[in-house]
Amino acid sequence: MVKLIFIAIAFSIYYYWIFSSTGAVLTEMLKLRTKNIYFGMIIGFFFYFAVVSLFLMPFQLIPDLRYIFLVYLLGAINVLYSLVLLILIRFWFNIRLLDKNHAIFLFAMAIFIVVYYLKNYFISPAGQNLNTSYILTFFTRDQKDLTKFVLDPSVIIGNTRALASLGWFTNVSMWFTITNLDPNEIILNLLDILDAMVFAALFVTLLNNFSRKNNNNLVSGFFSLLILMGSKLLIYYFGYDAWHPENMITNLFFVIFIILSIYTNAEYRNRNMPWIIGIIFTSYITFDWDATYIILFLVYVSGWITMLKYQVNFLKDLVKFTIFPTICFIFYNIWYGTIWLIFVFLGLMLIMIILSILLYRNYARIFEIEKAIYSHNRVLIFVIPSLFTIASVLILLASGKIKLDFWNLEAIASSIYTQLGLAKIKDLANSIFLIISFIFLGFGLLWIFFMERIPNFSAKTSINMLAILTVTFFNPLVGRFLIWLFNDRALLNNATVFIVAILVAINTSVYAIKIKQFKKITWKPQQKQQKQINYKQK
């Protein structure tokens, strides 16, 4: 137990330094206007995993490679990464020690760790045992001491199940190799710390970027923290524990929605922020390769969000959002063996490169194109959904199956389906889900038609994103076409993104509510009050 506590402290300090230093270096180099180091810490967290992914990605495509080689390679990458940070010490060594955000962060992190500790005893998530046993397939019993685990040197990458999450589980294996702890100890303790660190930094970022001067930010922050804790418990309940790759993907969704909400506030717009958002998108490849298409959808929507907000430079933003994730899209399709999609994404990469050259060499001509797009954005936003819907209807008619049986809870929200035990009422549950999907589609259409007339407020960006995602991708009318165009994984994580968007909208709305500040209580000394009474009597 003592060993575990010391390792947990060292683990926390190391990754706190890695993430906060990386964030400080990036904010300084890219001149991002923020005084909140924990905003930088969030950036540093996903930048670190994006860099790790890009180094490991080519090796993950070699099926005969020993898995143990990947683990030691990741350890070497970490050493190299740390050395680079030490070389760049002048960018991050100026962290303010007396910043009140440190106290807020430590308090929030402690709260999350306590909540995570308690939830292990009171909540049983769906599918936990199956996934825990999957992690142990990388290990074998030590022949000298059967109570201990060691990495299995015979495991090759081609034989590992769930290759899509191999990058994330390699991180888990690296921590096991360094600490020599039982894999279950890492799963149940160290990864809770990592998750608590991310959400504590998110809380500080929400408090810094959405709180208002004349509002009671203590009360707003309290409710915001409660909503974040409730969000994590809800995610955990539906099967995504701290070590689970889907949990990290969910964290990524939270960060994307919150950072885009900050970015679309004109006060915080920075020409280099889209590069950061693009890198954050790229980090998904560490956690789950099968999230490729939902990330593609989010990249598309992010481009539209900037187009709706800003009249100029939104094509530059789109290029910056797209370049790095497209590399991952290409690798994913190489791994999956979809040749024609490899060429589609290579073509997209080429278009982005050509567009970036035109943007920087002759922006005057591009400016006219941007002006035309902005003036017709309400019409253009429906072009892709209309094409997808027509194609989906044609596919349904050609197949002779008019049923929407592909749009079911088991395929789109399997964790909810499993945890709530809806298999008993499968047909009823799927019918209700289909009706709810069409209701949200109607809401999305109405919102897009009238969103220009709706005044700007803190949750508007999240709702805009949700509306565009629903109309373009998250509805039964286009589902069949998406499956035909990509594969059955195109509908994965739709429900998760939907829930995250609603939770972020609720959380940011808390800061928009006007709450009166507490009255200041002034205490007068007893003697002074007695003198005033005597003077009045005279």
Side-chain angles (χ1 to χ4, degrees):
M1 186 65 182
V2 175
K3 179 186 175 183
L4 178 62
I5 291 169
F6 276 111
I7 288 173
I9 292 168
F11 182 88
S12 304
I13 292 170
Y14 174 72
Y15 279 103
Y16 181 92
W17 172 66
I18 286 285
F19 301 146
S20 59
S21 300
T22 301
V25 170
L26 290 171
T27 52
E28 283 291 323
M29 284 185 165
L30 299 177
K31 295 179 170 47
L32 302 181
R33 290 175 292 175
T34 178
K35 294 179 181 178
N36 172 21
I37 70 161
Y38 292 103
F39 178 68
M41 188 178 190
I42 294 167
I43 294 169
F45 178 90
F46 289 101
F47 180 85
Y48 164 80
F49 282 111
V51 169
V52 165
S53 301
L54 292 172
F55 272 102
L56 291 182
M57 208 184 299
F59 296 97
Q60 287 177 251
L61 298 174
I62 305 172
D64 295 328
L65 187 69
R66 300 276 178 183
Y67 175 71
I68 198 167
F69 171 80
L70 213 62
V71 176
Y72 284 105
L73 175 64
L74 182 58
I77 291 168
N78 270 268
V79 172
L80 182 63
Y81 193 96
S82 301
L83 289 172
V84 171
L85 282 180
L86 289 172
I87 292 168
L88 299 171
I89 188 170
R90 69 187 184 91
F91 290 104
W92 56 263
F93 197 64
N94 59 350
I95 294 173
R96 298 179 297 279
L97 295 176
L98 298 177
D99 192 339
K100 66 177 182 180
N101 286 326
H102 296 313
I104 297 170
F105 171 81
L106 291 172
F107 172 76
M109 186 175 168
I111 293 290
F112 279 114
I113 288 173
V114 170
V115 169
Y116 292 166
Y117 182 78
L118 293 174
K119 54 91 172 148
N120 289 328
Y121 294 95
F122 297 107
I123 302 175
S124 298
Q128 184 183 19
N129 294 330
L130 174 65
N131 290 304
T132 305
S133 65
Y134 165 65
I135 292 177
L136 297 178
T137 60
F138 295 110
F139 304 95
T140 186
R141 295 284 182 180
D142 191 346
Q143 295 300 318
K144 295 178 182 178
D145 185 354
L146 295 176
T147 61
K148 292 183 179 179
F149 287 93
V150 292
L151 269 173
D152 189 347
S154 65
V155 175
I156 60 172
I157 290 174
N159 291 342
T160 56
R161 291 186 292 133
L163 181 61
S165 301
L166 192 64
W168 173 242
F169 289 127
T170 303
N171 279 274
V172 177
S173 299
M174 181 193 71
W175 297 322
F176 163 79
T177 306
I178 293 169
T179 61
N180 202 28
L181 288 173
D182 188 298
N184 290 300
E185 292 287 358
I186 295 172
I187 291 165
L188 296 174
N189 295 286
L190 297 191
L191 297 188
D192 278 345
I193 293 171
L194 200 67
D195 199 64
M197 203 177 283
V198 175
F199 258 68
L202 263 181
F203 171 65
V204 177
T205 301
L206 283 165
L207 200 60
N208 275 263
N209 289 282
F210 292 98
S211 56
R212 299 187 300 174
K213 289 181 181 178
N214 299 321
N215 208 2
N216 192 328
N217 294 320
L218 184 64
V219 175
S220 299
F222 172 75
F223 282 112
S224 177
L225 186 59
L226 278 181
I227 293 166
L228 279 178
M229 285 192 295
S231 302
K232 288 307 297 180
L233 289 175
L234 182 69
I235 291 162
Y236 176 73
Y237 177 74
F238 287 121
Y240 303 152
D241 202 353
W243 58 268
H244 199 290
E246 290 296 328
N247 173 69
M248 301 309 296
I249 285 289
T250 306
N251 290 350
L252 177 61
F253 296 153
F254 269 99
V255 169
I256 287 168
F257 278 98
I258 289 169
I259 287 186
L260 279 167
S261 297
I262 294 169
Y263 179 65
T264 48
N265 183 333
E267 183 185 347
Y268 295 99
R269 195 183 190 196
N270 182 289
R271 66 179 181 177
N272 291 319
M273 181 59 82
W275 286 119
I276 295 295
I277 295 170
I279 290 166
I280 290 172
F281 278 128
T282 306
S283 66
Y284 88 90
I285 207 77
T286 298
F287 312 121
D288 188 1
W289 289 34
D290 284 334
T292 289
Y293 296 120
I294 192 64
I295 295 297
L296 173 64
F297 302 159
L298 285 170
V299 170
Y300 170 85
V301 172
S302 301
W304 269 110
I305 289 297
T306 52
M307 289 181 201
L308 294 169
K309 177 68 179 179
Y310 303 114
Q311 295 187 36
V312 294
N313 288 325
F314 55 76
L315 286 178
K316 285 184 181 179
D317 290 354
L318 182 61
V319 169
K320 294 168 186 176
F321 289 153
T322 309
I323 285 288
F324 291 117
T326 304
I327 297 170
C328 299
F329 301 158
I330 293 165
F331 270 97
Y332 173 76
N333 283 287
I334 291 171
W335 168 66
Y336 205 78
T338 317
I339 304 299
W340 76 275
L341 280 176
I342 295 170
F343 286 104
V344 167
F345 287 116
L346 281 170
L348 178 62
M349 175 72 82
L350 183 62
I351 290 167
M352 291 298 113
I353 292 168
I354 293 168
L355 185 57
S356 62
I357 293 167
L358 292 173
L359 284 166
Y360 285 99
R361 285 191 177 180
N362 195 355
Y363 181 68
R365 290 183 182 178
I366 301 296
F367 174 75
E368 295 300 322
I369 297 171
E370 285 187 332
K371 197 174 175 182
I373 292 171
Y374 186 82
S375 61
H376 298 91
N377 57 24
R378 290 297 177 280
V379 176
L380 292 173
I381 204 168
F382 288 107
V383 170
I384 297 295
S386 300
L387 292 174
F388 281 5
T389 303
I390 292 166
S392 195
V393 170
L394 289 174
I395 291 167
L396 286 169
L397 291 172
S399 64
K401 296 179 180 179
I402 313 299
K403 293 181 180 180
L404 300 173
D405 53 345
F406 61 90
W407 194 264
N408 59 74
L409 272 169
E410 193 173 2
I412 297 169
S414 58
S415 56
I416 296 173
Y417 181 82
T418 304
Q419 186 69 354
L420 297 181
L422 298 176
K424 299 173 184 176
I425 51 167
K426 183 177 179 180
D427 293 336
L428 178 62
N430 287 331
S431 299
I432 293 170
F433 177 60
L434 188 64
I435 292 166
I436 291 170
S437 299
F438 276 111
I439 289 169
F440 272 101
L441 175 59
F443 163 78
L445 289 167
L446 286 172
W447 183 270
I448 292 171
F449 276 121
F450 298 106
M451 65 182 169
E452 197 171 38
R453 301 178 188 179
I454 299 168
N456 196 27
F457 63 104
S458 54
K460 190 176 180 181
T461 297
S462 299
I463 299 171
N464 284 350
M465 289 182 72
L466 184 58
I468 297 169
L469 280 167
T470 302
V471 171
T472 314
F473 305 108
F474 296 176
N475 75 75
L477 296 179
V478 302
R480 177 59 71 188
F481 175 69
L482 293 177
I483 293 170
W484 175 83
L485 184 64
F486 302 118
N487 52 53
D488 55 355
R489 289 169 175 79
L491 301 181
L492 287 176
N493 296 298
N494 284 12
T496 308
V497 171
F498 216 90
I499 292 166
V500 168
I502 292 169
L503 291 172
V504 170
I506 293 168
N507 207 319
T508 51
S509 296
V510 166
Y511 295 96
I513 299 169
K514 290 183 181 180
I515 304 171
K516 289 183 180 181
Q517 292 184 345
F518 297 126
K519 290 182 180 179
K520 291 183 179 179
I521 301 171
T522 54
W523 297 95
K524 294 182 180 179
Q526 189 84 17
Q527 280 185 337
K528 207 169 185 181
Q529 289 180 356
Q530 191 64 40
K531 282 181 182 179
Q532 287 176 354
I533 291 165
N534 293 335
Y535 177 78
K536 286 177 182 176
Q537 286 175 351
K538 289 178 182 180

